[in-house]
Amino acid sequence: SIKSYIYKGNIFNGYTLNTSNNTMSITECKNDFNAAVRIPESLTFETTPYTITKLSGFNGHRKLELLSLPSTLEELSAQAFSKCENLSEITLPNSLRTIRAQALGSCTKLKMIDIPVGVQTIEDAPLCGCYNLENITVAEGNNNFKAINGCLIDVNKKRLLQGLPNGVIPQDGSVQEIETAAFSSLSKIEELAVPNGVIKLPTYFAIDCSNLDRVVLPNTLTTIDTQAFYRCKNLMTSNGGVLVIPDSVTVINSNAFSDCTSLTDVTLPKSLKDMGSGSNFANCTSLKTVTFRTATTPINEYGQGAFEGCKNLTDIYWPGTQTLAEAANLWKHMGVDTTKVTIHYEYEVRD
C-alpha cells in the first residue's frame, strides 16, 4: 500500500497561488522525497488553505515509485511526471480534466493506466516512451476516449493517442489521425496496419520498434514524417526486405526509414514531390535496389544524403534522363557513389 507522505515543508519547491479561488498549482518539487508519495488535497499558506488543482515539476525524479494524487486535481501539466523511470503505479483521480503533452512520458516501469471519467482533454504523446505499458483502460461513462485493441483513441477527433505492444489499429473508420510517437520504442510489436483514411504518419510514429516487420500503408496516405520508422531494423523482413510505398504519398521526410537495415528493395511513389532535408534511407545497409516512379520533382526536392551509408546499393531505376540528373549532380546530392551503383535511366514507369 502507498504510505502517506504528507507535506512537511520539504518536498514542494515551487508553487503558484490563485487567490481569486484559493487554488494552488505545484510547479516544482525537490528530489529528496520517499519512493511512495501522497500529495494532499490542500496546503495552508499564511493561514489560508489552498486546494491543489494542478501539478507539474516532478519530471525526472528517479526515486518516485508509487504516487497517490489528490481528489481535487484537475490538470497534469506538460511533462509533469515524465522520465520518472521507476514510477510503477499511479492512480488518476476522477476530478482530473486535462492531461497535457507527455505528462507521463518515458515512465518506463509503468504497466497500466486508467483514464478517469472526467478527463476531457489529452494532449500530444501523453504516454510516449512508456514501452512496458501493458494495459490502458477508460472509465465507464467517459465518452471522450476509448481503449480498444491496445490503442487509446480520442473519439471526437478520431485520433489514436497511444498504442501498446499488442496494439492493433482499428480498421472501422474510428482512427483517421495518429499522434506523434504513438508506437515509439515498442520492441515487441511485429505488425502494424494503418487504416484507410489516415493521411499522415507522424514524427516518431514507430521509431525504435526493433522487431517491427510487417507494415501495411493505405492509399489515402500522403505524408510519412520525420523518423517515422527510424531504426526499425527488421522492417519488411518477412517480405524479403521489399518496401513499396503507395503512390498517394507525396512527402517522405528526413530519416523516415534510415537505419532500417533489413530493407533490400524500395519503390518510391509516383506522386513523390518532397524528401525533406534528407537522409531518408541513410544507413539501410542491406538496400540493393531503389526504383523512382517519378522524375518530375525538382531535383533539389530529392533529399540530401537520402542513401548515404547504403553500402550495398547496386541499382537505381530513374525514369528521367541522364543529362538532367548529371547536370543537377543528383546522385552525389543523394549520397550515391556512381562508381559502385548502376543508374538505369529512362526506364518505363508502369502502373
Side-chain angles (χ1 to χ4, degrees):
S1 62
I2 297 178
K3 298 178 180 179
S4 282
Y5 188 77
I6 303 300
Y7 174 75
K8 296 179 180 178
N10 67 341
I11 181 171
F12 302 129
N13 222 18
Y15 50 86
T16 299
L17 303 178
N18 187 331
T19 55
S20 65
N21 60 7
N22 283 13
T23 62
M24 173 184 284
S25 300
I26 304 300
T27 59
E28 186 181 354
C29 65
K30 294 182 179 180
N31 200 19
D32 57 355
F33 53 79
N34 292 356
V37 172
R38 183 178 74 84
I39 298 174
E41 295 179 355
S42 66
L43 296 174
T44 298
F45 181 78
E46 294 182 347
T47 73
T48 301
Y50 289 86
T51 301
I52 296 177
T53 59
K54 184 177 178 180
L55 288 177
S56 62
F58 284 79
N59 50 304
H61 286 288
R62 295 181 177 181
K63 289 183 180 180
L64 188 59
E65 296 177 10
L66 305 176
L67 180 64
S68 177
L69 300 176
S71 62
T72 54
L73 187 66
E74 296 178 0
E75 179 178 322
L76 285 184
S77 297
Q79 299 183 6
F81 295 96
S82 67
K83 298 181 180 178
C84 291
E85 59 187 37
N86 286 304
L87 181 63
S88 60
E89 184 177 322
I90 183 171
T91 300
L92 304 180
N94 287 333
S95 58
L96 192 63
R97 298 290 179 266
T98 302
I99 301 173
R100 298 293 182 193
Q102 299 183 47
L104 293 163
S106 298
C107 292
T108 55
K109 287 191 177 180
L110 197 63
K111 291 190 174 182
M112 65 172 295
I113 194 82
D114 179 65
I115 307 300
V117 66
V119 174
Q120 300 170 357
T121 302
I122 300 178
E123 291 187 348
D124 300 354
L127 296 159
C128 74
C130 297
Y131 50 75
N132 284 310
L133 200 61
E134 296 174 354
N135 192 26
I136 300 176
T137 57
V138 176
E140 186 176 353
N142 187 326
N143 297 318
N144 299 306
F145 305 94
K146 69 177 180 179
I148 183 172
N149 298 339
C151 296
L152 176 63
I153 297 169
D154 185 320
V155 173
N156 300 314
K157 295 180 179 179
K158 296 186 175 183
R159 188 176 182 87
L160 191 155
L161 299 173
Q162 181 67 45
L164 299 181
N166 62 346
V168 177
I169 306 175
Q171 304 290 316
D172 59 0
S174 62
V175 173
Q176 294 185 2
E177 297 180 10
I178 299 176
E179 185 56 75
T180 299
F183 290 90
S184 67
S185 303
L186 300 182
S187 60
K188 295 179 183 178
I189 201 159
E190 296 181 0
E191 181 174 358
L192 283 171
V194 180
N196 275 317
V198 173
I199 62 173
K200 179 180 179 180
L201 287 187
T203 301
Y204 312 139
F205 167 63
I207 185 175
D208 284 323
C209 291
S210 56
N211 286 303
L212 179 61
D213 174 4
R214 298 172 297 279
V215 171
V216 178
L217 303 178
N219 289 325
T220 54
L221 193 66
T222 63
T223 300
I224 301 174
D225 218 334
T226 304
Q227 295 189 20
F229 294 100
Y230 180 46
R231 289 197 297 249
C232 291
K233 296 184 183 298
N234 282 305
L235 192 64
M236 307 310 289
T237 299
S238 63
N239 196 41
V242 177
L243 173 67
V244 179
I245 299 174
D247 276 339
S248 57
V249 173
T250 60
V251 178
I252 302 174
N253 269 328
S254 59
N255 295 101
F257 293 93
S258 60
D259 288 80
C260 291
T261 53
S262 291
L263 290 180
T264 61
D265 188 321
V266 170
T267 298
L268 297 170
K270 199 172 184 178
S271 54
L272 183 63
K273 295 180 180 178
D274 190 349
M275 294 181 75
S277 58
S279 300
N280 316 76
F281 295 88
N283 301 316
C284 291
T285 52
S286 296
L287 187 61
K288 296 180 179 179
T289 304
V290 175
T291 301
F292 286 84
R293 287 171 53 77
T294 179
T296 59
T297 300
I299 296 298
N300 60 359
E301 299 298 335
Y302 290 114
Q304 184 171 1
F307 303 104
E308 196 79 46
C310 296
K311 60 184 181 181
N312 286 304
L313 187 61
T314 59
D315 293 272
I316 291 179
Y317 292 83
W318 200 61
T321 65
Q322 183 172 354
T323 301
L324 175 63
E326 292 183 352
N329 211 12
L330 174 60
W331 308 120
K332 184 177 181 180
H333 172 74
M334 298 186 78
V336 176
D337 184 351
T338 53
T339 65
K340 298 178 180 179
V341 179
T342 301
I343 312 297
H344 304 265
Y345 291 101
E346 298 183 79
Y347 90 99
E348 182 181 356
V349 176
R350 298 178 182 179
D351 292 328

